[in-house]
Amino acid sequence: MQKLRLGVLGSGKGSNFRAIYEAIGVGRLDVEVAVVISDVVGAGILKLAEEAGLPTAILDEPRYKTRLSLEVEEHLVSVLQTAEVDLVVLAGYLRMIKEPLLKAFPRRIINIHPSLLPKFPGLEAWKQALEAGEKTAGCTVHYVDEGMDTGEIIVCAEVSVHPGDTAESLHARIQEAEHRLYPEAIATLTTPQSPIRNPQSYWLAFAFL
């Protein structure tokens, strides 16, 4: 069976990308990274990809902070399609995904969010959990839709909030959980039964709900 090809999008240091790539390297994840793309020049995720000898691309979007313009997102779609990407993986990508990408990759875009969704969508979710007095935080892998962290949940991992936790200490433990969970979640999508491998099975099942 042909390996799934990932297109990884990120805006920051790339720690989740590193975890995915290391999982590939030790044989825990049987996929290949087709391209790594960032909307930030000089982002750490690009440096990691370049060190690994992977193809990279930069999105030039000076007009908006939280999304891409229509033409830039259409260019992103073109880059991903040219790289023959099967699954789009958001790894610390900080812009909302809009129609061009959602239409081109239906149910083939996933994200990892540092909370137990649907609680605490948006930025700095670990701070939101701490300020709310939660005893349990965590992370969630989910499909991406047009909303902010509103897509169907694939899998979650819980992280206990310790007495005396700071935002930094809690975030660090959540990131450790993310680095375990994301490769595991992607691995579940490589099976013949997954909607990525067999999209018709999902749409047929959905039609009979």
Side-chain angles (χ1 to χ4, degrees):
M1 184 181 298
Q2 185 175 353
K3 292 182 179 181
L4 281 185
R5 291 172 61 81
L6 308 185
V8 183
L9 276 62
S11 303
K13 295 179 181 179
S15 66
N16 272 306
F17 163 68
R18 185 197 294 273
I20 292 166
Y21 194 70
E22 288 178 350
I24 295 170
V26 299
R28 288 196 297 113
L29 185 55
D30 190 24
V31 299
E32 58 183 311
V33 178
V35 64
V36 177
I37 304 170
S38 182
D39 59 325
V40 178
V41 175
I45 191 171
L46 291 175
K47 294 178 181 178
L48 290 174
E50 289 163 0
E51 290 170 1
L54 297 170
T56 62
I58 298 172
L59 301 173
D60 183 19
E61 178 54 274
R63 285 168 288 184
Y64 308 107
K65 294 293 186 183
T66 60
R67 62 181 176 88
L68 300 177
S69 61
L70 179 63
E71 56 268 33
V72 174
E73 188 148 328
E74 287 175 343
H75 172 67
L76 171 59
V77 169
S78 176
V79 171
L80 292 167
Q81 289 176 335
T82 298
E84 299 181 333
V85 164
D86 300 301
L87 178 66
V88 180
V89 176
L90 308 187
Y93 183 68
L94 299 180
R95 296 182 191 252
M96 295 287 289
I97 301 299
K98 297 298 182 183
E99 183 179 357
L101 194 56
L102 291 170
K103 186 175 180 180
F105 292 89
R107 201 173 165 80
R108 289 192 290 147
I109 308 171
I110 63 172
N111 181 49
I112 189 162
H113 181 73
S115 80
L116 297 175
L117 291 173
K119 286 187 174 182
F120 312 121
L123 296 175
E124 298 185 327
W126 60 94
K127 287 187 179 180
Q128 297 183 55
L130 202 59
E131 290 167 359
E134 296 286 312
K135 290 182 169 51
T136 304
C139 52
T140 304
V141 179
H142 64 96
Y143 290 106
V144 175
D145 60 17
E146 65 278 0
M148 181 178 288
D149 305 316
T150 56
E152 179 187 342
I153 291 171
I154 299 171
V155 66
C156 300
E158 292 188 352
V159 173
S160 296
V161 179
H162 296 167
D165 253 337
T166 63
E168 291 74 20
S169 64
L170 179 57
H171 186 211
R173 288 203 311 284
I174 291 173
Q175 283 195 312
E176 289 177 5
E178 288 180 353
H179 299 162
R180 293 190 301 269
L181 187 66
Y182 217 1
E184 292 173 1
I186 294 169
T188 67
L189 300 177
T190 68
T191 66
Q193 297 79 23
S194 81
I196 307 300
R197 290 285 195 190
N198 191 15
Q200 285 186 334
S201 66
Y202 165 74
W203 294 118
L204 285 171
F206 184 79
F208 286 99
L209 289 178

